[in-house]
C-alpha cells in the first residue's frame, strides 16, 4: 500500500522558529495558501483515503484536501506531534545554542525524552499502529494511496527509523510537502516500510500515488525497516 504523509501548513510558531507540539496552533495566512495550493496539486493523484492528526493545524489542511479530493477525513490521535514537554514555546535556535548537548540528543538519540516529553521510540510505536490500521483498512475496491496530514517531527522520526541517512534529515520536510512510503505486512504480521520519497512537492507525490513505478529518491539499501510486532491492538481513531 502506498502512503503519502504531508506536513501541515505554516503556523506562526513555524515562522518564528519556536518549538511546537501539543499547543493547538492554527495555520497562518501563508499556511492556508499552502494548503489550498497543495490540494489543487494533489488532485491529479489517485487517493483512497485521508487521515489526519487531531491538532488544528493538521485538521485545517485535511479539510481543504477533503473539499478538493472529495474524500472524508478520519482523525487519528496517534498522528499528533511529538510531545516536547518543557521545550514547548522555546526558541529553537536559542535552545540549540544554550543547550547543545540536549538539543543533539533530542534530534539524534531515539531513547532521549525532554522533561515531560516523548522519546522517538514512543512516536514510532504510536504512528506505526496508525499505519497498520490504514493498511488493514485498504481494499481493492478503493484503489489509490492513503494521504496523511501530520507533523514535522513525526515525519523526521519516521524517516530516520525507515532508514533515511541522518545527513538527509538536517532540513525538515517543508510545510505542505510530503514523505512517501510503501507499507505492507510481512508473514509475521510486522509492518514493512520502504521509504520512496522525502520532502517532495504535492504534484510529485500525486504522480507517485498514480504510478506503478517503484522508483525511489532515497538510497535503497537502507530504506527498509520492519517494525517489531506489538501486543497493542488498534483502537477506533486513537491507534
Amino acid at each position: 500500500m502506498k502512503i503519502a504523509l504531508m506536513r501541515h501548513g505554516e503556523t506562526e510558531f513555524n515562522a518564528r522558529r519556536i518549538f511546537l507540539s501539543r499547543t493547538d496552533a492554527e495555520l497562518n495566512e501563508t499556511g492556508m495558501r499552502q494548503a489550498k495550493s497543495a490540494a489543487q496539486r494533489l488532485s491529479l493523484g489517485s487517493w483512497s483515503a485521508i487521515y489526519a492528526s487531531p491538532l488544528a493545524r493538521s485538521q485545517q489542511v485535511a479539510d481543504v484536501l477533503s473539499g478538493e479530493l472529495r474524500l472524508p477525513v478520519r482523525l487519528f490521535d496517534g498522528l499528533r506531534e511529538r510531545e516536547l514537554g518543557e521545550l514547548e514555546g522555546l526558541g529553537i535556535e536559542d535552545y540549540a545554542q544554550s543547550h547543545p548537548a540536549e538539543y543533539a540528543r533530542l534530534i539524534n538519540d531515539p531513547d532521549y525524552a525532554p522533561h515531560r516529553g516523548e522519546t522517538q521510540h514512543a512516536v514510532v510505536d504510536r504512528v506505526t499502529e496508525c499505519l497498520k490500521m490504514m493498511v488493514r483498512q485498504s481494499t481493492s475496491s478503493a484503489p489509490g494511496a492513503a494521504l496523511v496530514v501530520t507533523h514535522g517531527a513525526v515525519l523526521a522520526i519516521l524517516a530516520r527509523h525507515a532508514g533515511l541517512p541522518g545527513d538527509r534529515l538536517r532540513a525538515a520536510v517543508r510545510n505542505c510537502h510530503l514523505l512517501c512510503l510503501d507499507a505492507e505486512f510481512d508473514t509475521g504480521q510486522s509492518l514493512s516500510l520502504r521509504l520512496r520519497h522525502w520532502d517532495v512537492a504535492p504534484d510529485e507525490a500525486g504522480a507517485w500515488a498514480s504510478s506503478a513505478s517503484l522508483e525511489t529518491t532515497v538510497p535503497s539499501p537502507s530504506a527498509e525497516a520492519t517494525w517489531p510486532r506489538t501486543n497493542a491492538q488498534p483502537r477506533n481513531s486513537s491507534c
Side-chain angles (χ1 to χ4, degrees), residues 128-158:
T128 300
E129 286 304 311
C130 295
L131 300 180
K132 287 180 179 179
M133 186 178 293
M134 295 173 200
V135 174
R136 291 190 181 106
Q137 291 177 346
S138 65
T139 65
S140 58
S141 61
L147 185 56
V148 180
V149 186
T150 183
H151 303 272
V154 168
L155 297 183
I157 292 168
L158 188 61

Side-chain angles (χ1 to χ4, degrees), residues 12-21 84-100 102-104 106-107:
E12 284 305 309
F13 282 73
N14 300 151
R16 294 167 57 195
R17 298 285 295 155
I18 294 172
F19 282 118
L20 172 64
S21 60
L84 294 175
E86 65 182 8
L87 302 186
E88 186 84 0
L90 300 181
I92 296 173
E93 278 77 17
D94 288 345
Y95 182 77
Q97 291 177 9
S98 61
H99 298 79
E102 291 86 349
Y103 181 74
L106 178 72
I107 302 301

